[in-house]
Amino acid sequence: MSANQKQKQTSCKVCGKSSWHIIETLLSGIWDRSQVVLRRKVIFFPIGRCKHCHHVQVTINYTKEIFEALYFSNQVEPNMWCDTPQGQKSPYEEMFDFIQPCIEDGAHIVDFGAGAGTTLKYIDNYCKEYSPTLTSVDFHNHVQSETIKHISGDLNELEIIRRKFDETPISLAISTHVLEHVIEPVNFLSEITKMITDNGNIFIEVPDCSPDANMNNLEFTNLIHGQHIHYYSKESLAQIVKLAGLKIVKQQQLTTGNIPRLLLLLKKSNSNIQHSVIPIENNASKSVTKRFNDYSNYQESLFKKIQQALKKDKTIGLWGIGGDFYLLTQKYPELIHWITSNKVTLYDYELAGHVFYNSKIICSSEIKQAKHPVILLPMYGPTREKMKELSINWGANVTVPC
Ligand SMILES: [Zn+2]
């Protein structure tokens, strides 16, 4: 998609109106690797607050083209979480603690958007005494387990697979870090509501953009991400849940490696479905604004570090040629000048051999032998952690700016 292509505005997926106050625009994208010379396909995601109900979401339509670029490009998915420090509970353990009281004998537990099946596999390990039936629902079967049944389905069209649960209604539906990716969250939850038993539960977890959630170091999180269509707060979710004919029975806010998390347990509501939407006072806009400010401040300090390093040494290396690198070159064109004049060498494992502004990208395994200092560029916490570990193993001269 070209940068200046007119993108069609979408309606608010909570109240249905189409009038937006744009908070910020996220520049996401992917590398076009079809040629040796790398080109960036940029996708603009304006994030807006609905002028009517104050829900915060991306205000353009997610076309088939966008979905394909975001989900089916050959990028390797980064780890979702950092390693759990010793003596602390892992995110999966915390999820399990949250849902365990509602797991009964012979439960049918279904994970909508199961991905690699980490949550289901955790339940499988720790719930054997309940003899649960476990099912994963997702585009592709990445779970590959003998004890977990897989149903292929599009999470944006759950009505197509609804009948598959007629014989075996669901006692516990799980959907973690999925609701922010679906186009119509109310419809998504309504469809799941039709598949659960009358006494069944739905467990959802989303990144927490409530004004009282953790707002420290948001630049190291994936809170704002091209794949995230919706930005939720406790108050916006409370409305969405009601619109879907559900009620909240339990709620918890947690922070893992800077990532604010919101966990909800839902049940069918006995009262009439609410159709009107009350303006969401405590919406996600504060948190979204904070993340963009944090990101911009970090970019500035990162650029200064590069500048200082070049004053000290004739040449330096930059490691990790992804979205953060690209955005840095857009904000500070001087960086491109240093790359073309060979003052800055680029290192990346996946992109080795490609060329960016006349500079051939070197495989990151060469960092071991590098004579110059190398600065690590990606900002996402779990990615930084993995790269840092590698560089320690190599005994290499790598700076991890913080
Ligand atoms: Zn709205």
Side-chain angles (χ1 to χ4, degrees):
M1 180 173 307
S2 69
N4 52 9
Q5 189 178 330
K6 192 114 179 80
Q7 291 168 306
K8 213 171 157 254
Q9 276 211 337
T10 193
S11 58
C12 168
K13 300 306 178 206
V14 177
C15 76
K17 302 271 184 355
S18 301
S19 183
W20 297 105
H21 163 80
I22 302 298
I23 303 171
E24 287 281 355
T25 296
L26 173 70
L27 262 75
S28 184
I30 49 165
W31 292 117
D32 175 0
R33 309 180 193 197
S34 57
Q35 321 249 298
V36 174
V37 175
L38 279 183
R39 274 178 220 291
R40 190 78 181 165
K41 286 186 182 171
V42 177
I43 315 174
F44 290 84
F45 294 106
I47 302 174
R49 189 185 72 231
C50 169
K51 284 187 179 168
H52 182 73
C53 78
H54 301 174
H55 173 55
V56 175
Q57 66 166 86
V58 172
T59 63
I60 55 151
N61 274 318
Y62 272 67
T63 57
K64 198 169 164 263
E65 190 192 5
I66 292 179
F67 270 118
E68 269 168 19
L70 291 174
Y71 288 90
F72 303 109
S73 62
N74 51 357
Q75 282 165 313
V76 181
E77 280 289 313
N79 284 347
M80 167 100 198
W81 309 102
C82 282
D83 287 341
T84 304
Q86 240 182 351
Q88 285 184 26
K89 285 187 176 183
S90 77
Y92 298 101
E93 216 173 331
E94 287 169 331
M95 288 178 200
F96 186 68
D97 285 351
F98 188 78
I99 59 174
Q100 197 187 15
C102 66
I103 299 177
E104 290 166 353
D105 270 339
H108 183 199
I109 304 174
V110 181
D111 190 344
F112 290 90
T118 319
T119 316
L120 279 178
K121 283 172 184 169
Y122 193 95
I123 295 170
D124 195 19
N125 266 334
Y126 289 91
C127 259
K128 296 233 186 278
E129 79 253 41
Y130 298 110
S131 318
T133 304
L134 304 173
T135 307
S136 65
V137 174
D138 216 327
F139 271 109
H140 303 293
N141 184 6
H142 291 309
V143 179
Q144 303 294 344
S145 157
E146 282 181 6
T147 48
I148 300 166
K149 188 188 161 193
H150 180 76
I151 294 174
S152 288
D154 183 342
L155 299 170
N156 286 306
E157 293 178 340
L158 283 182
E159 56 278 10
I160 295 172
I161 58 159
R162 191 201 303 156
R163 305 307 300 264
K164 294 196 186 271
F165 297 97
D166 281 356
E167 305 284 307
T168 50
I170 302 163
S171 46
L172 174 61
I174 292 176
S175 203
T176 67
H177 294 273
V178 170
L179 203 64
E180 65 274 24
H181 297 253
V182 301
I183 299 171
E184 304 265 3
V186 177
N187 186 55
F188 177 80
L189 287 175
S190 311
E191 283 303 323
I192 295 179
T193 308
K194 290 171 193 161
M195 300 182 232
I196 61 170
T197 60
D198 283 342
N199 199 33
N201 292 280
I202 302 174
F203 163 53
I204 59 167
E205 179 176 318
V206 294
D208 189 1
C209 297
S210 305
D212 64 348
N214 166 60
M215 286 207 201
N216 296 323
N217 301 115
L218 292 182
E219 71 275 32
F220 299 137
T221 70
N222 58 357
L223 191 79
I224 307 285
H225 190 285
Q227 290 181 356
H228 295 174
I229 303 176
H230 297 281
Y231 295 92
Y232 301 112
S233 65
K234 281 181 286 187
E235 225 176 284
S236 71
L237 269 179
Q239 297 249 12
I240 287 164
V241 159
K242 276 187 193 164
L243 293 170
L246 293 159
K247 62 178 178 187
I248 299 170
V249 290
K250 195 161 99 173
Q251 179 172 291
Q252 191 179 10
Q253 288 174 286
L254 291 168
T255 303
T256 299
N258 295 315
I259 299 171
R261 305 159 55 198
L262 178 57
L263 294 78
L264 293 179
L265 197 64
L266 313 170
K267 265 188 185 301
K268 284 182 184 176
S269 165
N270 297 321
S271 48
N272 288 336
I273 292 183
Q274 178 190 317
H275 293 290
S276 61
V277 180
I278 309 155
I280 303 149
E281 198 183 324
N282 293 305
N283 55 61
S285 53
K286 197 174 154 194
S287 162
V288 168
T289 305
K290 173 76 164 52
R291 183 274 179 196
F292 276 95
N293 289 340
D294 286 359
Y295 191 90
S296 178
N297 291 339
Y298 185 81
Q299 281 183 315
E300 199 186 325
S301 72
L302 190 56
F303 180 72
K304 279 185 186 154
K305 286 229 164 70
I306 295 169
Q307 221 170 13
Q308 282 161 6
L310 275 174
K311 272 181 195 155
K312 233 174 109 201
D313 293 87
K314 257 195 195 147
T315 66
I316 62 157
L318 297 181
W319 181 19
I321 307 307
D324 295 321
F325 162 78
Y326 176 76
L327 291 180
L328 201 66
T329 63
Q330 297 304 292
K331 190 171 172 182
Y332 300 102
E334 241 179 307
L335 193 52
I336 294 175
H337 172 70
W338 295 331
I339 293 166
T340 45
S341 56
N342 293 322
K343 285 184 176 168
V344 167
T345 304
L346 305 178
Y347 293 95
D348 195 274
Y349 185 76
E350 296 269 309
L351 297 173
H354 283 283
V355 170
F356 183 78
Y357 282 99
N358 297 328
S359 172
K360 192 175 169 192
I361 298 170
I362 312 292
C363 184
S364 47
S365 58
E366 302 285 316
I367 289 173
K368 275 177 277 197
Q369 287 96 30
K371 297 274 188 294
H372 51 208
V374 173
I375 298 175
L376 190 147
L377 280 189
M379 295 199 197
Y380 184 47
T383 306
R384 289 161 66 92
E385 187 182 78
K386 285 280 160 311
M387 292 169 81
K388 198 175 159 183
E389 269 169 31
L390 267 178
S391 71
I392 291 169
N393 288 341
W394 292 339
N397 181 11
V398 173
T399 309
V400 184
C402 54

